[in-house]
């Protein structure tokens, strides 16, 4: 998923994937469609007639450029072509770097060893590499240190969502998730419901009505997540709520 200040605004949030059979790298725009999503294929990021071009993975680098891992092999079959076929290339591979013409690499620094407060600030970075690496470093903290770092930091809606993701499976409390159900931000409610479903062993019978209330939310994706969360709670009370609210 593109998030890099080195690329134009209309690329942000687009999805990049590889079509190694057709020797191309493709780009999709994604938009909401009810409780799901719909994609629109955009012009290819890269296409070639080189039969050895086999892009397998795409990642954003610390400099904001898009990097492609290219298997670089004319043979991709595992059954139709003999493993001893001399056309199989067992020695070569390529890494491609893609960036807009004239763009300057983003200045960056290693995040390993930075203090938790600095890492938390990177979670809202416009550059995906920075976000991913900061999250990775934060998840190396022990539970007590992580909870201490997050406490008092998660004040706005985006920060509350990041805190819920960071603490997923690493806390014995659902109080903040239940509080997030009252948010006016639909995405925050979706995140809370998803995490409550994962933390089903911690959900108490008294929590079910709060989850059930979101079944009537105006956002269809919130409704979907509410059904999923109640199904994962797996009690008679949650099952009754689901059955009582099934669409006709």
């Amino acid at each position: 998923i593109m998030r890099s200040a080195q690329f134009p605004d209309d690329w942000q949030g687009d999805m990049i994937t590889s079509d190694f059979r057709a020797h191309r790298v493709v780009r999709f725009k994604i938009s909401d469609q009810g409780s799901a999503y719909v994609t629109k294929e955009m012009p290819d990021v890269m296409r070639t007639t080189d039969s050895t071009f086999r892009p397998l993975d795409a990642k954003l680098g610390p400099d904001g450029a898009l990097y492609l891992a290219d298997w670089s092999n004319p043979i991709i079959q595992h059954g139709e072509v003999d493993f001893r076929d001399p056309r199989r290339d067992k020695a070569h591979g390529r890494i491609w770097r893609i960036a807009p013409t004239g763009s300057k690499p983003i200045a960056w620094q290693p995040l390993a060893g930075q203090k938790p407060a600095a890492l938390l600030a990177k979670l809202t970075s416009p550059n995906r590499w920075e976000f991913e690496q900061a999250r990775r470093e934060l998840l190396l903290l022990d539970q007590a240190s992580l909870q201490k770092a997050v406490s008092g930091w998660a004040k706005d809606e985006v920060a509350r969502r990041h805190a819920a993701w960071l603490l997923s499976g690493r806390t014995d409390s659902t109080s903040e998730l239940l509080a997030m159900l009252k948010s006016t931000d639909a995405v925050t409610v979706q995140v809370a419901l998803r995490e409550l479903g994962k933390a089903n062993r911690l959900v108490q019978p008294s929590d079910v009505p709060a989850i059930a209330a979101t079944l009537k939310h105006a956002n269809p994706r919130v409704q979907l997540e509410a059904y999923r969360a109640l199904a994962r709670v797996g009690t008679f009370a949650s099952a009754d709520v689901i059955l009582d609210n099934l669409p006709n």
Side-chain angles (χ1 to χ4, degrees):
I1 299 176
M2 291 297 300
R3 197 164 82 198
S4 168
Q6 197 168 351
F7 283 78
D9 290 344
D10 67 335
W11 280 60
Q12 306 305 316
D14 287 3
M15 303 176 74
I16 308 296
T17 189
S18 300
D19 184 354
F20 61 88
R21 292 181 178 85
H23 316 292
R24 65 179 186 144
V25 179
V26 293
R27 170 186 165 209
F28 294 91
K29 284 200 172 295
I30 184 170
S31 56
D32 292 334
Q33 187 180 66
S35 63
Y37 301 93
V38 63
T39 58
K40 177 183 178 182
E41 187 169 355
M42 305 300 290
D44 291 338
V45 176
M46 185 175 181
R47 178 190 284 267
T48 179
T49 57
D50 179 1
S51 64
T52 68
F53 180 59
R54 305 293 186 180
L56 296 178
D57 197 12
K59 297 287 186 184
L60 286 167
D63 61 350
L66 180 66
Y67 286 85
L68 299 172
D70 176 9
W71 187 22
S72 186
N73 203 314
I75 305 299
I76 60 173
Q77 295 93 341
H78 296 288
E80 297 87 346
V81 181
D82 194 285
F83 281 106
R84 292 176 290 278
D85 191 300
R87 292 174 297 167
R88 289 187 183 276
D89 188 338
K90 301 180 181 179
H92 298 90
R94 294 177 288 202
I95 300 293
W96 297 84
R97 180 184 183 276
I98 300 176
T101 302
S103 64
K104 294 182 179 180
I106 296 170
W108 66 280
Q109 59 181 333
L111 297 185
Q114 290 196 16
K115 295 184 180 300
L119 294 171
L120 288 169
K122 301 294 186 183
L123 293 180
T124 55
S125 170
N127 301 308
R128 188 169 184 85
W129 179 88
E130 205 165 47
F131 153 72
E132 290 177 342
Q133 297 304 312
R135 179 178 168 84
R136 181 174 182 174
E137 289 297 312
L138 285 165
L139 290 175
L140 294 176
L141 298 174
D142 60 69
Q143 180 176 333
S145 299
L146 182 59
Q147 287 186 309
K148 181 179 179 181
V150 169
S151 178
W153 170 76
K155 296 185 182 300
D156 60 42
E157 297 300 324
V158 175
R160 293 175 80 188
R161 298 198 291 265
H162 280 296
W165 289 323
L166 284 170
L167 295 174
S168 182
R170 302 183 68 178
T171 177
D172 293 327
S173 173
T174 60
S175 58
E176 177 55 29
L177 295 176
L178 291 167
M180 288 168 66
L181 295 181
K182 301 176 183 179
S183 172
T184 57
D185 181 85
V187 178
T188 297
V189 181
Q190 292 166 36
V191 171
L193 289 167
R194 179 72 64 92
E195 294 304 322
L196 283 166
K198 294 179 183 178
N200 51 60
R201 64 181 179 83
L202 301 176
V203 175
Q204 302 298 313
S206 57
D207 300 332
V208 171
I211 300 174
T214 61
L215 290 170
K216 304 297 185 182
H217 198 282
N219 186 289
R221 196 166 298 130
V222 170
Q223 297 173 26
L224 176 64
E225 292 295 347
Y227 280 110
R228 295 179 74 253
L230 288 165
R232 288 186 172 186
V233 169
T235 63
F236 287 117
S238 63
D240 286 341
V241 170
I242 291 173
L243 292 172
D244 289 343
N245 288 274
L246 285 177
N248 294 327

